[in-house]
């Protein structure tokens, strides 16, 4: 399935972090208030590492603009 219309990106207005524990361990919670509402993402260690790496790539492109 292909999207016909490209959605506008959410613009972050506020970012908060926290943790939550369950029977499988601790998760990081990334809460981002955006222009479209609240986006909450639960992260394990692997997902957090992937986001850090993705942000590093984005950051390097912003620094060279």
């Amino acid at each position: 399935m292909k999207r016909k219309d490209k959605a506008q990106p959410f613009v972050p207005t506020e970012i908060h972090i926290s943790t939550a524990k369950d029977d499988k361990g601790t998760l990081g919670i990334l809460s981002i208030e955006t222009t479209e509402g609240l986006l909450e993402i639960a992260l394990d260690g692997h997902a957090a590492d992937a986001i850090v790496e993705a942000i590093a790539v984005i950051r390097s492109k912003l620094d060279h603009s």
Side-chain angles (χ1 to χ4, degrees):
M1 181 172 159
K2 290 190 176 190
R3 183 182 291 217
K4 294 180 182 179
D5 297 323
K6 186 175 180 181
Q8 292 295 316
F10 296 143
V11 177
T13 57
E14 226 177 283
I15 298 174
H16 298 277
I17 58 168
S18 61
T19 57
K21 289 187 179 184
D22 66 9
D23 57 340
K24 295 180 183 177
T26 303
L27 292 173
I29 307 297
L30 177 60
S31 298
I32 305 170
E33 185 68 41
T34 75
T35 52
E36 297 295 319
L38 183 63
L39 173 64
E40 291 192 304
I41 305 169
L43 304 166
D44 64 5
H46 296 292
D49 289 342
I51 287 186
V52 168
E53 290 174 22
I55 289 171
V57 170
I58 292 168
R59 185 74 184 157
S60 70
K61 291 179 181 189
L62 293 173
D63 289 342
H64 292 107
S65 297

